[in-house]
């Protein structure tokens, strides 16, 4: 019967134990006898070593590799901080600022300094219009040339114009500034230099819809143009948040006529909850009526003094306790 060798792990053995010679039987085939004879000579059997685990090679960066994105961002952060600009607020308003190069930012800021803007003026302009830092100096120069040569802005007033409306510098001359200038001139708005903030407005998206609203509420095209010519800032007010609510209060609550509003379009520049409604109700309480300019233009102190004069020079209301006293005095 053929012998069965017990299984042994190669981890603990480097040699096979000697097999007794008595176990070699004549009946064993020759090739097996030769194998067993060799095993009986304590011949060590070399087992292969476990292959080493290969690690992936580490990437080799070229010596001339560009600085990291974090480095770029850090440099821009420091530069914008030196200007007093909050990069996070500015980038939220204008995402293109995050991808702008430091060289572009420096060039734009240098151009603003060349116009004579002080540090606080540059900070305010960049806060109002972060796009100004990502525009090429050649485009900024084109907008400045338009303001001086075509819009009639005086050199001494340029800083004030830019500080009030920095978006003028990022508006394209051919597609925005010049068409708006021609439209305002057609309406008869003059002088343009006093209303430069309107030049960055779109004719189709902002100016024409305001004229259409005035015609919608009952004014003729001629009257609507006369109103914006008298008070061009009408173009700056929101239709739904300003013009419409004030128009509805004027017509339904105050019950006044459109011609009065045509002569005083500045009515739309006053606050409805803080000035128009409280003063109208105060006048209604004593039965007084003032023209729109007299009702809205005076300061609170002047208006209260005006109301005191009106109360002292008029009869008390019928619901007032003084009403009976006034009748007895007449008797």
């Amino acid at each position: 019967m053929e012998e069965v060798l017990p299984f042994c792990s190669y981890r603990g053995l480097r040699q096979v134990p000697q097999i007794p010679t008595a176990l070699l039987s004549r009946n064993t085939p020759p090739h097996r006898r030769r194998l067993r004879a060799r095993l009986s000579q304590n011949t060590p059997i070399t087992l292969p070593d476990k292959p080493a685990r290969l690690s992936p090679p580490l990437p080799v960066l070229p010596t001339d590799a560009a600085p990291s994105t974090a480095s770029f961002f850090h440099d821009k952060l420091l530069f914008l901080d030196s200007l007093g600009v909050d990069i996070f607020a500015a980038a939220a308003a204008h995402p293109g600022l995050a991808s702008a190069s430091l060289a572009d930012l420096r060039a734009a800021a240098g151009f603003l300094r060349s116009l004579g803007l002080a540090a606080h003026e540059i900070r305010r302009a960049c806060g109002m219009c972060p796009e100004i830092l990502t525009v090429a100096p050649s485009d900024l120069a084109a907008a400045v040339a338009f303001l001086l040569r075509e819009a009639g802005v005086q050199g001494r007033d340029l800083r004030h114009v830019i500080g009030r409306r920095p978006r003028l510098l990022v508006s394209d001359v051919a597609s925005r500034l010049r068409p708006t200038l021609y439209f305002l001139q057609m309406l008869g708005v003059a002088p343009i230099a006093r209303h430069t903030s309107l030049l960055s407005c779109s004719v189709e998206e902002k100016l024409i819809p305001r004229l259409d609203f005035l015609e919608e509420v009952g004014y003729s095209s001629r009257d609507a143009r006369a109103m914006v010519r008298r008070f061009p800032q009408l173009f700056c007010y929101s239709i739904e948040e300003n013009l419409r609510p004030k128009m509805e209060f004027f017509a339904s609550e105050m019950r006044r006529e459109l011609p009065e509003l045509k002569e005083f379009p500045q009515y739309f520049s006053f606050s409805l909850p803080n000035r128009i409604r409280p003063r109208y109700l105060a006048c209604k309480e004593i039965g007084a009526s003032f023209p729109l300019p007299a009702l809205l233009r005076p300061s609170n102190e002047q208006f209260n003094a005006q109301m005191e004069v009106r109360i002292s020079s008029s009869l008390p209301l019928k619901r007032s306790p003084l009403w009976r006293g006034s009748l007895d005095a007449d008797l």
Side-chain angles (χ1 to χ4, degrees):
M1 183 176 178
E2 190 173 309
E3 303 84 17
V4 179
L5 297 176
F7 171 79
C8 295
S9 173
Y10 77 90
R11 296 174 183 265
L13 296 177
R14 289 295 176 180
Q15 296 181 348
V16 178
Q18 182 180 359
I19 300 175
T21 308
L23 294 179
L24 296 176
S25 173
R26 293 182 179 180
N27 296 329
T28 304
H31 67 279
R32 291 198 175 185
R33 287 201 302 268
R34 289 193 298 270
L35 174 62
R36 291 182 180 180
R38 295 187 60 182
L39 294 177
S40 63
Q41 297 175 1
N42 295 330
T43 303
I45 301 177
T46 303
L47 299 178
D49 294 332
K50 186 177 180 180
R53 179 176 297 177
L54 299 179
S55 301
L58 296 176
V60 179
L61 297 178
T63 56
D64 58 345
S68 64
T69 303
S71 176
F72 276 127
F73 181 80
H74 181 262
D75 292 341
K76 290 195 296 184
L77 182 63
L78 292 178
F79 177 72
L80 293 174
D81 183 67
S82 69
L83 295 178
V85 177
D86 184 348
I87 187 174
F88 299 104
H94 178 54
L97 186 64
S99 59
S101 67
L102 180 59
D104 292 339
L105 300 181
R106 291 184 182 276
F111 181 84
L112 295 177
R113 292 192 186 98
S114 70
L115 298 178
L117 272 70
H120 70 278
E121 294 172 322
I122 295 178
R123 179 173 63 252
R124 184 174 183 273
C126 296
M128 295 175 61
C129 182
E131 296 94 322
I132 203 171
L133 288 172
T134 60
V135 177
S138 58
D139 295 332
L140 297 175
V144 170
F146 169 84
L147 294 173
L148 296 175
R149 298 173 183 174
E150 300 185 45
V153 176
Q154 299 296 318
R156 62 178 180 273
D157 299 327
L158 185 61
R159 289 173 53 191
H160 173 73
V161 169
I162 295 175
R164 184 180 180 186
R165 187 67 172 176
R167 189 163 297 279
L168 289 167
L169 295 185
V170 303
S171 301
D172 184 71
V173 174
S175 62
R176 176 60 59 86
L177 297 179
R178 190 171 288 122
T180 305
L181 172 68
Y182 292 161
F183 186 79
L184 294 174
Q185 289 174 337
M186 180 195 68
L187 293 176
V189 176
I192 296 295
R194 294 181 56 187
H195 307 288
T196 52
S197 60
L198 297 176
L199 293 175
S200 61
C201 300
S202 170
V203 173
E204 295 80 8
E205 298 176 5
K206 195 162 189 177
L207 304 189
I208 292 179
R210 271 68 180 170
L211 292 172
D212 291 342
F213 171 79
L214 294 176
E215 295 183 26
E216 174 190 330
V217 299
Y219 292 102
S220 65
S221 176
R222 182 177 180 179
D223 289 342
R225 295 186 179 198
M227 291 178 68
V228 297
R229 187 163 54 246
R230 184 185 299 270
F231 187 59
Q233 295 306 313
L234 278 176
F235 286 127
C236 300
Y237 300 138
S238 167
I239 293 178
E240 298 303 325
E241 297 180 6
N242 187 307
L243 301 182
R244 193 179 301 281
K246 292 178 182 179
M247 189 68 215
E248 291 176 352
F249 184 83
F250 178 85
S252 61
E253 297 292 332
M254 302 178 71
R255 299 183 181 277
R256 300 205 178 194
E257 302 296 330
L258 290 179
E260 185 179 7
L261 195 56
K262 172 190 171 183
E263 297 299 323
F264 189 68
Q266 293 87 345
Y267 162 85
F268 291 102
S269 65
F270 296 97
S271 171
L272 178 59
N274 297 330
R275 177 159 293 199
I276 299 176
R277 181 181 286 113
R279 293 194 177 186
Y280 164 73
L281 295 177
C283 292
K284 184 179 179 181
E285 181 72 19
I286 65 172
S289 178
F290 295 101
L292 285 179
L295 177 68
L296 299 175
R297 276 181 172 167
S299 64
N300 290 334
E301 294 76 10
Q302 293 172 335
F303 178 76
N304 292 334
Q306 188 173 264
M307 292 292 290
E308 291 292 338
V309 172
R310 182 59 63 93
I311 292 174
S312 61
S313 61
S314 61
L315 289 175
L317 298 177
K318 290 185 179 181
R319 62 176 177 273
S320 172
L322 299 178
W323 174 258
R324 173 55 56 186
S326 63
L327 292 181
D328 295 339
D330 293 339
L331 294 178

